[in-house]
Amino acid sequence: MECLSCPDMTLADWGQNLMAKLGGRRFPLSASFEVTERCNLDCVHCFINHKGGCPWQKSGELSLIEIKTILDQMAEAGVINLLLTGGEVFIRPDFVEIYRYAKRLGMLVMVFTNGTMINERIADHLADLPPYFIEVSTYGHTRETYEHLTRVPGSFNRYRRGFELMIDRGLSLGLKTVLMTINRNEISQMKSFAESLDVPFRYDGMIWPRLDGGLQPLKVRLSPEEVVNLDMEDHQRWTNFIQMHREKKDLYPRREMVYSCGAGYYGFHVSASGQMSMCMMARQPAYDLRGGNLKEGWDFLEAVRNKKRILDTPCQTCKAAMLCTQCPGWSQMVHGDDETPVEYVCEIGHLRLQYTSSIQQS
């Protein structure tokens, strides 16, 4: 029931009010924390792809005590929004303790999971201290497609069971998928499944190379034309692109600075080994939290954030800038620097520009 003297406020409105009070000042509002890079699945598209039992990967992960120390420092610094992600977070036997610790520090906690390791006990723990949001990855609507992609027999039933357990407990859930050649034809079914349960659904068609330099995921990624066609099939998504182009077509965010997003300004990322970087994809340079503290790491990222462009690239004056996801993370993954454009990303941006412009002119 709404209090008559204190009207309800949506989280979006609350966030806008908070940002307004910051007055454009740099502040660590949000963090993503990768508590493990290991996973119980073996998805063909994964940009990390470390096996669940990988001993050298497990040995390099932050301990529970180290994670709690970093969480304490996050809370002290003012972090409000916290994403706990992996790998698969529940592959850590201590993840529930990590999660509950973060919740008790007062942060709005979001969890990314594939849902396959959720059992009655875990679901009860989550219901006892509910997260702000849990986003579950789905890789296909049918068992055949899902397990073709995850390469783990029986994973489809475990995912569905985990999802049902959380639905039954009234947890705030969403579904997301990465679209590729294997599951592209099931997007409408995945979306309808989400709608039938009244949970939000989102997808991404942008597949990255692996962190270790491997190009295996690119074998299943969609062509730029397919990605943009999917954009156009989603009415709300395409309407947003048209509106963005109409309102911001004369902006050139990459003209001077390397970073034009909120990375390192309102948010940051911490890897499973304690490396603090601008975001989940732009991992270099990084500050080692095992050898310092979060405040020093945030100061370190300020210098990264203030880097000016040194390469003369088309991105600086590109008319597709506001419709394009080109960023230092993409450049690092493909070219090993912060600025060189990635052709695949460019093609998608220019196709969006071409189609949005033609629609507005018609």
Side-chain angles (χ1 to χ4, degrees):
M1 179 177 178
E2 182 180 321
C3 173
L4 295 180
S5 61
C6 299
D8 287 345
M9 178 183 289
T10 67
L11 185 64
D13 289 339
W14 175 81
Q16 288 178 357
N17 287 348
L18 178 60
M19 299 284 276
K21 291 185 183 301
L22 285 173
R25 288 187 297 115
R26 183 172 173 267
F27 191 86
L29 286 174
S30 302
S32 54
F33 202 156
E34 198 170 62
V35 297
T36 182
E37 291 187 356
R38 296 175 294 124
C39 188
N40 60 320
L41 303 181
D42 186 27
C43 297
V44 296
H45 69 286
C46 186
F47 74 99
I48 298 178
N49 202 253
H50 289 306
K51 304 296 188 294
C54 181
W56 66 267
Q57 188 63 41
K58 184 177 180 180
S59 65
E61 292 176 357
L62 294 166
S63 67
L64 177 61
I65 293 175
E66 289 175 317
I67 287 177
K68 286 183 175 181
T69 298
I70 293 172
L71 289 173
D72 285 336
Q73 293 173 8
M74 285 183 179
E76 184 178 356
V79 171
I80 295 173
N81 301 305
L82 176 66
L83 167 63
L84 295 175
T85 184
E88 170 49 45
V89 293
F90 289 103
I91 208 166
R92 286 191 66 131
D94 57 4
F95 178 72
V96 168
E97 186 171 353
I98 293 169
Y99 164 76
R100 293 177 73 88
Y101 192 82
K103 279 285 294 182
R104 288 184 173 127
L105 286 172
M107 291 182 272
L108 294 173
V109 181
M110 180 186 294
V111 178
F112 282 0
T113 177
N114 60 40
T116 60
M117 300 187 73
I118 302 292
N119 54 30
E120 295 272 358
R121 180 186 66 83
I122 290 174
D124 286 341
H125 274 298
L126 293 172
D128 178 57
L129 201 60
Y132 165 64
F133 194 62
I134 303 174
E135 195 165 62
V136 181
S137 296
T138 180
Y139 303 113
H141 185 69
T142 64
R143 178 183 294 103
E144 292 75 19
T145 297
Y146 186 99
E147 294 183 4
H148 181 192
L149 198 152
T150 64
R151 298 187 289 199
V152 176
S155 56
F156 179 78
N157 285 345
R158 292 197 295 274
Y159 139 70
R160 280 293 185 93
R161 175 58 176 158
F163 196 76
E164 289 169 2
L165 288 171
M166 292 187 286
I167 283 282
D168 290 345
R169 285 157 178 78
L171 292 168
S172 179
L173 300 176
L175 278 173
K176 66 177 177 183
T177 193
V178 179
L179 290 180
M180 60 200 85
T181 56
I182 296 172
N183 66 358
R184 185 257 182 270
N185 292 330
E186 293 188 4
I187 181 173
S188 60
Q189 294 169 289
M190 288 186 277
K191 185 176 181 180
S192 295
F193 174 67
E195 290 174 347
S196 72
L197 297 170
D198 196 27
V199 301
F201 172 80
R202 70 182 180 97
Y203 71 86
D204 188 1
M206 307 291 280
I207 292 180
W208 297 68
R210 284 175 49 162
L211 287 177
D212 61 9
L215 301 180
Q216 298 93 319
L218 306 190
K219 296 177 182 177
V220 295
R221 77 178 179 186
L222 301 175
S223 69
E225 291 79 8
E226 289 174 302
V227 171
V228 178
N229 284 336
L230 285 167
D231 288 340
M232 296 174 71
E233 290 172 11
D234 187 316
H235 175 73
Q236 186 57 57
R237 191 182 184 99
W238 194 242
T239 298
N240 291 341
F241 278 126
I242 293 173
Q243 183 176 350
M244 189 181 300
H245 178 249
R246 182 183 296 119
E247 295 176 354
K248 301 180 179 181
K249 62 182 178 181
D250 296 323
L251 294 180
Y252 299 97
R254 302 181 183 92
R255 190 184 294 277
E256 295 183 12
M257 309 304 290
V258 170
Y259 285 88
S260 57
C261 60
Y265 200 85
Y266 291 126
F268 61 91
H269 177 69
V270 177
S271 76
S273 60
Q275 300 300 304
M276 183 176 176
S277 64
M278 295 291 278
C279 75
M280 199 177 300
M281 308 314 299
R283 297 185 177 230
Q284 296 299 327
Y287 176 87
D288 187 3
L289 289 173
R290 278 174 160 158
N293 58 64
L294 194 129
K295 182 182 182 305
E296 292 177 355
W298 185 243
D299 291 341
F300 170 85
L301 293 184
E302 183 173 18
V304 181
R305 175 75 201 192
N306 290 334
K307 284 181 63 177
K308 292 190 175 181
R309 302 181 70 92
I310 58 174
L311 299 182
D312 184 15
T313 75
C315 293
Q316 293 166 287
T317 56
C318 182
K319 294 185 180 298
M322 299 309 299
L323 302 173
C324 176
T325 60
Q326 186 70 246
C327 72
W330 269 111
S331 298
Q332 287 181 21
M333 285 281 214
V334 178
H335 299 295
D337 63 49
D338 290 334
E339 301 176 49
T340 303
V342 175
E343 183 179 355
Y344 177 76
V345 183
C346 285
E347 288 185 37
I348 291 172
H350 282 289
L351 281 171
R352 285 173 178 159
L353 175 64
Q354 175 185 330
Y355 294 142
T356 56
S357 296
S358 63
I359 289 173
Q360 291 184 65
Q361 292 170 3
S362 61

